Amino acid sequence: MISNTWVKAPSGELERRELELADPRDHEVLLAVRLATVCGSDIHFLEDFPLQRGTDYQAMGHEAVGVVAAAGSGVRGVKEGDRAIASCLYGCGACRNCQRGQVGICERYGRLPGMSNILAGCQGEAFLVPHADVNVVRVPDELSDEAAILATDIMSTGFAAVERGGLRAGDTVAVFAQGPVGLCATAGARALGAGLIIAVERVPERVEMSKRLGADVVLDPQDALEGIRELTGKRGVDVAIEALGHRDTFAAALAAARLDGTVSSVGVYGQDRSLELPVGPAFYQRRIVTSMCPCGTDRLQALLAILRGGRTGLEALFTHHLPISRTDEAYELFRHRRDGAIKIGLVPG
């Protein structure tokens, strides 16, 4: 099959190419795209990370809802004609990490750096997914494409920031930056029982979306630390989430966490190759955890169950829709946050 797919060329620019996709092997499925999107990680792959050695392009896009166009003979979880989603990071299902549920850090495929297990080619007409019974699930009929696609990456990542932060019912949480992942972390904090949720953001559309998804208070970054001290009686928050991937927000999250609190980082530090840990009062007796997107069929099913409950409201993140043929425009819209863009749906056409 030939798929018209957006790729990163050696020049670093986006271009559309005809890619030949092989017939699925025993464990693979071929998904025909119904809805794709642009992620902040796509911007990093385009601007900050070089092509892997020996390749002359990188197929772009790792989030999609598709229809199973063909399935290998060994696939049992989905069948031809099913509407399905795949995790943005895939695993083999057999290694030690996959066996303990850590599919996203598969020992066979997920060797960092390089992230050779990131799904690719979703910003096109079709893409292949390996080891489908570990990485692909059918989408329930009652869920929209816009809801289901969130489970493939940003919802899983945002919720993981809260989970790995060790949130307990009633805890105070600060989420630094309200891009799509930060907004999912805010929604996750609400869903998982946080008491006070403080968001840090200045873009008006994202401020409003943050309140809609569960933030009790939204602070401007310039005044955030002072505001957090006032709101917590100078104690600091139980969990501080860094969702941007910038050294300044990491430092702010560290300063915002209380004694024996947790800093949970899910930002992609594409331009910052190092982070500073000042040895001051905000350094001692804190936990720092980092997360990649939890993946695999169990994780996808759990997130779809939450979405089926209809309590997160995360579908509202989609502010724009464009045909896949205009994906280059979608990158510009997303990169510069034009017209209040938060999440952009890419549909066939």
Side-chain angles (χ1 to χ4, degrees):
M1 176 181 179
I2 300 296
S3 173
N4 285 295
T5 302
W6 288 91
V7 306
K8 175 182 177 177
S11 65
E13 299 297 319
L14 278 175
E15 62 179 50
R16 207 173 187 197
R17 290 191 185 182
E18 291 186 348
L19 302 183
E20 185 172 355
L21 302 179
D23 292 335
R25 293 178 289 178
D26 288 350
H27 58 83
E28 294 178 330
V29 296
L30 177 68
L31 293 181
V33 174
R34 287 172 51 101
L35 179 71
T37 186
V38 177
C39 178
S41 297
D42 293 322
I43 305 297
H44 289 299
F45 284 123
L46 195 63
E47 297 181 350
D48 301 324
F49 303 143
L51 291 175
Q52 291 190 29
R53 186 175 299 177
T55 63
D56 67 349
Y57 71 88
Q58 168 66 47
M60 297 298 292
H62 53 271
E63 302 166 278
V65 178
V67 173
V68 178
S73 60
V75 176
R76 298 290 179 264
V78 292
K79 65 182 184 306
E80 190 171 329
D82 282 348
R83 188 168 57 117
I85 55 173
S87 290
C88 65
L89 300 170
Y90 58 82
C92 69
C95 71
R96 288 173 297 179
N97 282 348
C98 284
Q99 287 294 300
R100 62 189 181 91
Q102 298 294 329
V103 174
I105 52 173
C106 171
E107 292 179 334
R108 177 177 175 183
Y109 294 117
R111 298 179 298 274
L112 295 176
M115 291 181 61
S116 57
N117 66 327
I118 190 161
L119 199 63
C122 294
Q123 292 165 2
E125 295 172 321
F127 60 98
L128 283 165
V129 187
H131 302 287
D133 285 343
V134 182
N135 303 296
V136 177
V137 298
R138 181 182 175 275
V139 176
D141 293 339
E142 60 267 35
L143 279 183
S144 67
D145 288 349
E146 284 78 5
I149 197 173
L150 298 170
T152 67
D153 184 357
I154 65 168
M155 180 184 178
S156 187
T157 303
F159 274 53
V162 181
E163 293 162 333
R164 282 180 57 80
L167 177 84
R168 296 182 298 179
D171 276 354
T172 298
V173 179
V175 184
F176 286 82
Q178 294 292 284
V181 170
L183 288 164
C184 286
T186 294
R190 176 62 68 217
L192 296 172
L196 175 66
I197 301 173
I198 304 165
V200 179
E201 182 58 70
R202 66 162 54 98
V203 177
E205 294 84 1
R206 298 185 178 199
V207 168
E208 291 306 310
M209 186 64 69
S210 180
K211 294 176 181 177
R212 181 173 175 177
L213 294 180
D216 298 294
V217 181
V218 184
L219 302 175
D220 187 278
Q222 185 173 345
D223 307 316
L225 291 179
E226 182 178 347
I228 287 169
R229 281 192 286 268
E230 291 179 1
L231 289 166
T232 61
K234 299 183 180 180
R235 178 173 179 265
V237 298
D238 300 295
V239 182
I241 295 172
E242 198 289 326
L244 180 62
H246 194 280
R247 65 178 64 192
D248 291 342
T249 46
F250 178 81
L254 189 64
R258 65 168 172 82
L259 277 168
D260 208 34
T262 301
V263 176
S264 179
S265 176
V266 288
V268 177
Y269 298 91
Q271 295 181 348
D272 291 327
R273 298 308 188 205
S274 64
L275 296 173
E276 293 183 359
L277 286 172
V279 184
F283 173 78
Y284 295 99
Q285 196 66 19
R286 268 80 171 176
R287 285 176 293 274
I288 299 173
V289 298
T290 63
S291 303
M292 294 177 64
C293 179
C295 293
T297 53
D298 285 352
R299 180 67 170 184
L300 291 173
Q301 293 286 16
L303 296 174
L304 290 175
I306 294 171
L307 290 163
R308 287 175 72 180
R311 293 183 293 274
T312 66
L314 285 171
E315 300 95 310
L317 293 176
F318 280 90
T319 54
H320 296 73
H321 287 80
L322 289 171
I324 288 176
S325 59
R326 295 170 59 191
T327 295
D328 52 346
E329 297 177 39
Y331 271 75
E332 289 302 303
L333 189 66
F334 182 82
R335 180 188 284 113
H336 300 293
R337 304 173 184 174
R338 291 176 183 154
D339 302 326
I342 296 176
K343 200 71 175 164
I344 302 167
L346 301 170
V347 296

